[in-house]
Amino acid sequence: MSDILYGPRFDRLGHDSVILSAQARRHEARAVQGPLSIKHVVRGEASWRIGTQRFTVDADTALVLARDETYDMDLQSAEPVETLVVFFSHEIEADACSSRLACLDGLLDDPSLRPHDLLAVTRRLWPSRRFCQPLDELRGLAQIDATPSEAELRLRSLLDLMLDLVSEVRSERERIAAARPATRAELHRRVLAGKAWLDEHYALPFSLADAARAACLAPHHFHRSFKAVLRRSPFAHVSERRLLKARRLLLQGAASVTEACLAVGYESLPSFSRQFRQRFGAAPGTLLRKR
């Protein structure tokens, strides 16, 4: 039976589940292969790179990485960055996947069935609000070095939420207008590549052509497929990323309203303020006055 450990117990990755809550200004990791994990940043930003794709994780996002996926990690900041990373043991991952992804009849005949198929829930940024409660609870337990038994239910709850994404990915693929499953899967992969490009370049002037190029699709085809998969346009996705980043800067006291506006890619302060109010129900300056 695997244990649940706290801190940098990298020698036990895969054998045990490891919850790592840490603060640092600088950290690098190269060509890491580990177990299934979820990466989150409580304060600040840190980047993970898989092949040619870069994923910058912050308080509004989380990154799921599959078992044995090779990645690099970079953290460079003038202020301490607080990260929370949960590594799942192979045993707990297999147990959860067998319960959620295998055919029920097959499980009754052979409980040892161990499907390993998380589809495309990895290699993409997910909204951290989906996982906020178990992540917050695991972070609290890590800070007090709680016993493993106290963390197991939270750990399984988090893994269950991650597996919930499998059905969402299937629905995304089914919304793509293509007859063959292999074609839908490939278009889905390309849309996610374009989304990853937009996630990294949201503060630049919006360019549908550049995002489509990253997805290896024609601009109109990318726009149509993106809307089918994610149920909003590429520009709406970028606007959401900009507004969430601006809100975080204001809440943390890291920027004035004008500085936040320019930092996330807006050129017009009135336009920024109007969209911010529409999204959050309050003017951006209100967040500063609440501090």
Side-chain angles (χ1 to χ4, degrees):
M1 182 69 180
S2 62
D3 291 325
I4 301 174
L5 308 175
Y6 301 98
R9 296 295 304 274
F10 300 119
D11 59 314
R12 299 302 301 168
L13 293 183
H15 299 286
D16 300 305
S17 296
V18 177
I19 303 169
L20 177 59
S21 177
Q23 291 191 34
R25 289 184 174 86
R26 297 180 182 275
H27 183 71
E28 294 183 357
R30 293 289 177 264
V32 178
Q33 279 189 327
L36 174 69
S37 63
I38 183 168
K39 322 291 190 183
H40 180 52
V41 175
V42 179
R43 185 178 180 88
E45 294 181 347
S47 295
W48 281 262
R49 184 182 294 276
I50 308 166
T52 60
Q53 287 185 311
R54 181 184 178 93
F55 301 89
T56 300
V57 182
D58 54 33
D60 295 311
T61 57
L63 175 66
V64 178
L65 292 183
R67 184 198 301 189
D68 297 330
E69 192 150 41
T70 302
Y71 63 89
D72 298 333
M73 186 268 191
D74 287 287
L75 190 162
Q76 303 285 338
S77 175
E79 299 295 327
V81 175
E82 184 176 357
T83 57
L84 176 65
V85 178
V86 180
F87 299 95
F88 297 89
S89 71
H90 299 331
E91 181 180 359
I92 196 171
E93 178 196 5
D95 182 46
C97 288
S98 69
S99 299
R100 292 290 303 276
L101 303 181
C103 172
L104 181 57
D105 290 340
L107 279 176
L108 292 176
D109 293 335
D110 184 2
S112 66
L113 287 175
R114 292 292 186 257
H116 189 271
D117 180 15
L118 293 183
L119 294 178
V121 304
T122 63
R123 292 203 180 195
R124 68 190 288 182
L125 293 180
W126 291 95
S128 59
R129 64 178 181 273
R130 294 173 178 265
F131 320 105
C132 58
Q133 183 173 343
L135 281 174
D136 286 345
E137 291 173 345
L138 287 169
R139 174 171 167 251
L141 292 175
Q143 290 173 341
I144 63 173
D145 200 23
T147 61
S149 60
E150 295 179 84
E152 184 172 0
L153 287 178
R154 281 84 167 184
L155 197 71
R156 289 188 178 274
S157 295
L158 177 59
L159 185 52
D160 217 32
L161 289 172
M162 292 162 62
L163 287 169
D164 284 343
L165 302 176
V166 172
S167 60
E168 183 170 333
V169 167
R170 287 174 176 153
S171 296
E172 288 177 351
R173 289 180 174 178
E174 289 302 314
R175 292 196 292 269
I176 295 175
R180 296 176 56 204
T183 303
R184 293 196 296 271
E186 176 61 19
L187 280 172
H188 185 259
R189 184 192 67 79
R190 295 191 188 194
V191 165
L192 293 185
K195 174 186 179 296
W197 190 92
L198 291 171
D199 285 335
E200 291 300 309
H201 300 88
Y202 66 89
L204 297 179
F206 176 76
S207 172
L208 180 66
D210 287 345
R213 190 175 300 112
C216 296
L217 292 171
H220 183 72
H221 194 189
F222 173 68
H223 185 272
R224 184 179 63 180
S225 299
F226 192 101
K227 286 188 69 175
V229 169
L230 298 173
R231 290 185 166 171
R232 62 184 177 192
S233 70
F235 184 75
H237 177 76
V238 167
S239 295
E240 176 73 0
R241 291 282 290 158
R242 288 174 171 177
L243 292 171
L244 287 173
K245 173 66 173 181
R247 181 183 64 171
R248 191 164 63 253
L249 290 173
L250 294 171
L251 286 173
Q252 294 176 352
S256 67
V257 172
T258 300
E259 289 169 341
C261 166
L262 297 175
V264 301
Y266 283 93
E267 297 179 356
S268 167
L269 183 57
S271 176
F272 166 69
S273 298
R274 181 177 66 256
Q275 292 186 39
F276 193 97
R277 183 187 293 273
Q278 290 173 346
R279 174 62 178 83
F280 300 115
T286 305
L287 300 184
L288 291 176
R289 289 194 292 270
K290 287 183 177 180
R291 289 185 59 81

